[in-house]
Amino acid sequence: MPLVVPANVFPVYKYSCMTLFVGFSLFVFQKVKEIAPEPYIDEIFHLRQCQAYCDYKFTQWDDKITTPPGLYTIGFVYSKLIELVTGYPACLDSNVLRSVNLMGGLVVLPLVLHVFKRYNPNQFWSINIISQPLMFTYYFLFYTDVWSTILIVFALALVNNKRAQHPFWSALVSFCSLWFRQTNILWICFIAVVYIDKQVINTTGVLDRIVKFINTAFQNWLNLTGYVLNAVLFVVFLKVNGGITLGDSGNHEIKIHLVQLFYSTSFIAFFGLFSGTLSSIKGYATFITHNLVVSAGLFSVVFLAVEYTTIVHPFLLADNRHFAFYIYRRIIKRLPPVLMAIPHHFSSFTIGYLWKGSFMTCLAFVVALVGTLVPSPLFEPRYYLTPVVIFNLFIEHNNNVLEFLWLNSINVICFYVFSKKQIIW
């Protein structure tokens, strides 16, 4: 049963949760400075590269880095502004550079979500998007994921509303997102679909909507040129670079990793326990009993994906400071494929059951999900950050208080493990 909050006390709950989250985030940031004063895992490459930029060595590049220099550019500007105002050599301080992501999460992302919610004020609590555990972890480390996600959400917000669409600025922001993560090109295609789909009205079925979608796209071809230009530039990049990664290409080869898709849906369902997953159980049972053959066929697909496309990347086993290491070791490795397939099957149903966007938008989401995840051989939960956030922008949230408590219980547990459980080499 949904938790019903009286209208007159609803803002009190909301702002109390915001205050708690900001306070907890600042506390965690301070503790991470004490616990991990040295670069943590891949931070060593990112921090070192940003500091090279701060020395104006813009042609120097670390071959271990796979993503474009967006993070180092924003870190360079951020630290130079601090240095200009205070005189403090900010770029030499890894914790100052880490705070780029904390500022993004606590200041910039709420503003972006406000733009998204301008015509959808009751859709979700912004604090629950900001609290997503996959994002929360990277508020305190110098990684690309937070700003990559912020820019994709901003580009989406600029076209998500029928009454105020800005495709030119959306395409420009989308271009900026590519400087943080190359696979954002597929989310840019998703955003282009949303832009057109928002203009399609008065449809009588799936086929009718597809026809009207195509007609609307042709009518708006000029406004789509920004997105098309992003795609063209991306193809040029692939040709010039010789592949999608900038460095360390030997450890990032493209492989068919279909089960990666179901890892993602399971993470979405797990984090969304109180935003819809629990409410979808009854629908799931009905779907199985009324569509036994279809359900069995889909379960077979999931089972075969688990059985034959599970890949154990060397990076997964190389460092026990990753949560992924323990998820693989204690769950994925131990459970037989048929048991692993059950939550994947349920979570895949949940995605379709809870989605409140149109068929075209849902299809574009699935295509982007497959395109960004399936070719990657590495099981890495942060790859699911953008899908988790976007999915939560397109569903109804009825239990915002419980959702906040659930998400931040996970954050508290993760922080406790990080701070109290010593790494044994």
Side-chain angles (χ1 to χ4, degrees):
M1 178 180 294
L3 176 66
V4 179
V5 181
N8 60 332
V9 299
F10 190 78
V12 176
Y13 277 94
K14 187 175 181 179
Y15 295 126
S16 297
C17 289
M18 291 174 63
T19 303
L20 282 172
F21 180 80
V22 171
F24 178 59
S25 298
L26 295 175
F27 169 78
V28 172
F29 184 78
Q30 183 62 38
K31 287 298 180 181
V32 170
K33 287 169 60 176
E34 299 171 8
I35 297 166
E38 300 298 323
Y40 193 75
I41 313 181
D42 287 351
E43 264 197 316
I44 188 169
F45 307 120
H46 299 306
L47 289 167
R48 191 165 60 197
Q49 184 63 48
C50 189
Q51 288 163 352
Y53 273 36
C54 289
D55 288 337
Y56 303 100
K57 299 176 182 177
F58 298 112
T59 58
Q60 181 176 316
W61 187 257
D62 192 324
D63 288 337
K64 288 293 183 181
I65 296 173
T66 63
T67 50
L71 178 65
Y72 321 124
T73 302
I74 200 171
F76 165 78
V77 173
Y78 178 75
S79 60
K80 289 299 180 183
L81 286 174
I82 292 175
E83 187 173 341
L84 182 65
V85 174
T86 66
Y88 180 71
C91 202
L92 298 178
D93 189 335
S94 61
N95 290 303
V96 172
L97 293 179
R98 286 170 170 175
S99 70
V100 167
N101 285 331
L102 186 65
M103 291 292 291
L106 298 186
V107 178
V108 181
L109 185 54
L111 296 174
V112 168
L113 291 170
H114 177 73
V115 174
F116 189 95
K117 291 176 63 176
R118 192 171 295 165
Y119 300 106
N120 304 280
N122 299 318
Q123 198 165 17
F124 55 82
W125 274 9
S126 294
I127 193 62
N128 287 341
I129 302 297
I130 298 164
S131 296
Q132 287 295 326
L134 294 181
M135 182 134 57
F136 180 80
T137 302
Y138 295 98
Y139 291 154
F140 318 106
L141 300 173
F142 195 61
Y143 277 73
T144 63
D145 305 271
V146 172
W147 279 95
S148 170
T149 304
I150 289 172
L151 291 170
I152 285 295
V153 172
F154 188 27
L156 177 61
L158 290 169
V159 297
N160 186 59
N161 304 299
K162 295 178 184 178
R163 289 176 284 177
Q165 290 186 303
H166 307 283
F168 171 81
W169 294 110
S170 173
L172 184 60
V173 174
S174 295
F175 175 73
C176 294
S177 78
L178 289 172
W179 288 80
F180 289 81
R181 189 167 289 281
Q182 302 94 308
T183 53
N184 281 343
I185 188 62
L186 289 165
W187 294 113
I188 294 171
C189 294
F190 166 80
I191 292 167
V193 170
V194 172
Y195 164 63
I196 296 299
D197 202 34
K198 284 291 178 180
Q199 300 177 52
V200 178
I201 57 175
N202 299 326
T203 56
T204 57
V206 172
L207 184 59
D208 182 46
R209 191 169 192 94
I210 293 173
V211 171
K212 288 185 177 179
F213 178 92
I214 294 171
N215 290 336
T216 305
F218 278 113
Q219 292 167 9
N220 288 270
W221 68 268
L222 185 60
N223 289 330
L224 288 172
T225 53
Y227 302 110
V228 173
L229 183 59
N230 273 305
V232 170
L233 291 174
F234 180 75
V235 171
V236 172
F237 161 76
L238 291 179
K239 179 67 175 177
V240 172
N241 187 60
I244 193 169
T245 61
L246 269 77
D248 201 23
S249 57
N251 287 311
H252 293 84
E253 297 176 348
I254 292 177
K255 295 182 180 180
I256 301 300
H257 195 189
L258 186 58
V259 72
Q260 185 90 278
L261 174 65
F262 302 115
Y263 291 154
S264 176
T265 60
S266 292
F267 268 88
I268 291 172
F270 176 72
F271 292 133
L273 188 66
F274 291 103
S275 61
T277 301
L278 287 177
S279 65
S280 69
I281 293 175
K282 184 177 179 180
Y284 179 64
T286 302
F287 170 73
I288 293 175
T289 55
H290 288 73
N291 303 275
L292 194 57
V293 175
V294 174
S295 178
L298 293 175
F299 185 86
S300 298
V301 171
V302 177
F303 170 77
L304 292 173
V306 176
E307 176 72 23
Y308 295 107
T309 74
T310 297
I311 298 174
V312 184
H313 194 283
F315 284 0
L316 180 61
L317 306 177
D319 197 329
N320 62 355
R321 291 175 294 177
H322 285 277
F323 274 109
F325 174 89
Y326 297 97
I327 294 172
Y328 170 75
R329 182 181 173 184
R330 297 179 180 176
I331 300 176
I332 298 174
K333 183 180 179 181
R334 293 185 178 182
L335 291 181
V338 68
L339 291 183
M340 281 296 299
I342 293 173
H344 294 333
H345 185 253
F346 167 69
S347 65
S348 300
F349 167 83
T350 299
I351 300 299
Y353 182 81
L354 296 178
W355 187 271
K356 297 303 178 184
S358 76
F359 164 78
M360 291 300 296
T361 301
C362 185
L363 178 62
F365 177 80
V366 173
V367 170
L369 200 63
V370 172
T372 54
L373 295 177
V374 172
S376 174
L378 177 61
F379 166 54
E380 172 55 85
R382 64 192 177 94
Y383 292 169
Y384 315 140
L385 171 55
T386 300
V388 166
V389 170
I390 289 179
F391 179 77
N392 276 277
L393 300 179
F394 283 91
I395 65 171
E396 292 181 359
H397 296 255
N398 299 317
N399 298 320
N400 284 296
V401 175
L402 287 178
E403 185 179 357
F404 174 82
L405 294 173
W406 168 244
L407 293 172
N408 283 286
S409 295
I410 298 171
N411 290 334
V412 169
I413 291 170
C414 289
F415 171 66
Y416 174 81
V417 171
F418 174 78
S419 62
K420 297 298 183 181
K421 298 297 182 180
Q422 299 298 314
I423 299 298
I424 300 173
W425 291 98

